[in-house]
Amino acid sequence: MTRQKDNSKPQIQEIGGRVDLSLVNMDATKMASLVRTKQITCLALLEAHFDRVDALNPSLNAIIWQDRDGARERAAILDTEVAQGVFRGPLHGVPITVKEAFDFAGSPSTWGNPELAQNYPAQNSDVVQRYLDAGANLFGKTNVPLNLADWQSFNAIYGTTNNPWDMSRGPGGSSGGSAAALATGMSALEAGSDIGSSIRNPAHYCGVFGLKPTLGVVSEQGHSLPGWHTDIDIAVTGPMARSARDLMLAFELLAGPDRYSKDTWSLHCPTDLREDISDFKIALKLSDAACPVDQAYQDRLADFAEKLSKAGATVREIEPELDTSDYFNTYLTLLGAAMGFGISADAVAVERAEMEAKTTGVIRDIMTTRLNGRDMRHSDWMVADNKRRLARQLFDNFFQDWDILLTPVCASAAFPHNHSGQRYERALTINGAQQPEMQQLFWSGYSGVVGLPSAVGPMDFVGSLPVGYQAIAGHGKDRTALAFASCVENQICSFTAPPI
């Protein structure tokens, strides 16, 4: 049963005087250092986060479940261990939340779906367990869209999450609650999942960091519907953070096999110790005809590329020689197949008929391709998979010469709330024209369908809204993407807290 929020506060043993709420905007690495050096107790740190949640969450609605009593009990145990000189790991005592879809024993994993409102798993997901083993104190879960299938985070169970930079806009999805909680200091570290930019676009919209790892590097077990144990094609789980160094730390904690591959699995992601931007060779792809990008955002990316060049990096506009329109269709087909688990052919037929009655042009083409993947024969799936592997070869060859391929995360900064109709009926205004909101999936699939790692970090602002870069690296080169993000953080731009 869900524990209700408890606003009562126990007597806190504070070290160094009254807790300053500004500490919640520190990164998790710094918080863990304060705990380890006994400058603050685990319990005091937790209470500071509860104060922040009480102040901001009523308007943001990012954290949708909490177990304060359990978290306080864990904090007391963690403090006893500190006094004994015992530390569970690098996150000892750090208060965190995770995306609602990750199983955490005793908490709901509904995916925002009322049909799963009573789904309370008894076992932790692999991601949750790895954070707990590192000493993190998980006290809450963050909001998602229905079935994790939107770039806005709203559902009939928990309601709507707002963007902390502009309450009239969404924080992204499906890890939107995660990004909003991080940006505002309500949580020190997060975990998200990504099949269509569900880590990347919330990080971009809210001005935080996110990593879509190489496919298969972080376990998906426990991030699934009840009774489902098969990994979903293209989908990954990965860390979200307020700093690149936290992102690097979290990746090292989370990377590892699931129960089905632990006897044969080992990690072979090359180490990357570069600490200066001048050591990187960076390719640029700032636009594509398959998905128009807001000119103001493109300009910020171009300015960012200029800063990279001035810092000594080799920067050039070049990209893999792909037919990007055909490549986008390959992604949409395989995405449709991946998200078609448990859906009958009759249900797909109904969805297709409704879609065709409501759409024309580009969005009909996008949706038709996705729906064709929903109920395709396995032999047809293998044809699409072979096309993906041919594309992967092109990327592998490309990354022999380049460290990072820098691209947009999506088409624009965060867009206004729009919950009307089906997702495919919604549009964005890009450069003065109406474009299908789902057309942005092009930038999701560009690295996603071939399983490449992509780091997103804060870069600049369009008006008052943050925008980020997408740094794609070669297959298995997650640490290269992370090293790049760290260099950018240290030399060009880092996290800025929203004025809230």
Side-chain angles (χ1 to χ4, degrees), residues 234 324 398 455:
I234 307 174
T324 56
F398 183 82

Side-chain angles (χ1 to χ4, degrees), residues 147-470:
N147 294 327
L148 316 186
D150 206 314
W151 279 15
Q152 303 177 82
S153 292
F154 68 98
N155 59 75
I157 299 177
Y158 305 121
T160 300
T161 298
N162 298 315
N163 190 304
W165 291 90
D166 182 343
M167 295 289 184
S168 71
R169 298 171 188 264
S174 59
S175 310
S178 303
L182 278 172
T184 53
M186 294 193 292
S187 175
L189 195 64
E190 258 282 354
S193 57
D194 191 314
I195 192 173
S197 278
S198 287
I199 288 172
R200 291 168 286 166
N201 85 64
H204 162 77
Y205 290 154
C206 293
V208 297
F209 290 84
L211 175 71
K212 183 194 83 64
T214 296
L215 183 67
V217 167
V218 178
S219 170
E220 291 183 60
Q221 290 299 302
H223 180 278
S224 54
L225 295 174
W228 193 266
H229 298 280
T230 298
D231 287 349
I232 306 303
D233 186 25
I234 307 174
V236 299
T237 58
M240 301 177 71
R242 271 196 302 275
S243 72
R245 68 175 182 173
D246 279 1
L247 205 64
M248 297 172 80
L249 170 62
F251 172 74
E252 299 301 333
L253 294 173
L254 298 183
D258 59 32
R259 72 190 68 173
Y260 301 104
S261 56
K262 64 181 181 179
D263 294 330
T264 57
W265 192 97
S266 62
L267 185 64
H268 293 293
C269 294
T271 299
D272 195 317
L273 300 179
R274 281 177 281 192
E275 296 182 348
D276 197 283
I277 288 172
S278 62
D279 294 328
F280 285 87
K281 296 179 66 178
I282 302 162
L284 300 181
K285 177 179 174 59
L286 303 186
S287 63
D288 195 279
C291 178
V293 176
D294 176 68
Q295 189 59 54
Y297 178 30
Q298 283 192 64
D299 291 345
R300 299 293 83 73
L301 283 166
D303 292 343
F304 177 59
E306 181 65 20
K307 292 175 183 177
L308 295 171
S309 180
K310 288 182 177 179
T314 299
V315 181
R316 178 183 169 192
E317 290 191 32
I318 188 173
E319 62 188 87
E321 295 182 359
L322 288 165
D323 179 337
T324 56
S325 177
D326 183 62
Y327 181 56
F328 186 26
N329 284 334
T330 299
Y331 169 61
L332 292 171
T333 299
L334 291 169
L335 178 67
M339 299 186 72
F341 58 94
I343 299 176
S344 69
D346 289 343
V348 173
V350 170
E351 186 177 357
R352 187 187 301 274
E354 291 178 352
M355 178 275 295
E356 290 178 347
K358 296 176 179 179
T359 63
T360 59
V362 172
I363 189 59
R364 177 178 286 189
D365 292 341
I366 289 172
M367 285 303 299
T368 296
T369 305
R370 282 192 63 174
L371 290 173
N372 287 346
R374 282 280 179 95
D375 58 358
M376 67 193 306
R377 297 183 307 165
H378 184 66
S379 57
D380 293 328
W381 181 90
M382 292 178 68
V383 172
D385 184 49
N386 190 62
K387 292 180 69 174
R388 165 170 52 189
R389 295 195 177 220
L390 291 171
R392 164 70 189 281
Q393 292 177 25
L394 292 175
F395 277 101
D396 287 349
N397 291 336
F398 183 82
F399 283 111
Q400 290 181 15
D401 299 319
W402 298 93
D403 300 311
I404 295 292
L405 175 57
L406 191 72
T407 78
V409 182
C410 52
S412 69
F415 56 89
H417 292 299
N418 180 1
H419 302 166
S420 62
Q422 298 295 322
R423 184 183 179 190
Y424 57 73
E425 298 178 77
R426 304 172 197 150
L428 305 179
T429 301
I430 305 295
N431 299 324
Q434 291 292 99
Q435 303 288 349
E437 184 263 336
M438 292 183 69
Q439 195 169 2
Q440 299 178 94
L441 285 168
F442 171 82
W443 298 106
S444 310
Y446 193 75
S447 63
V449 71
V450 287
L452 303 182
S454 303
V456 170
M459 173 196 67
D460 208 332
F461 291 83
V462 171
S464 61
L465 299 172
V467 289
Y469 58 83
Q470 177 170 210

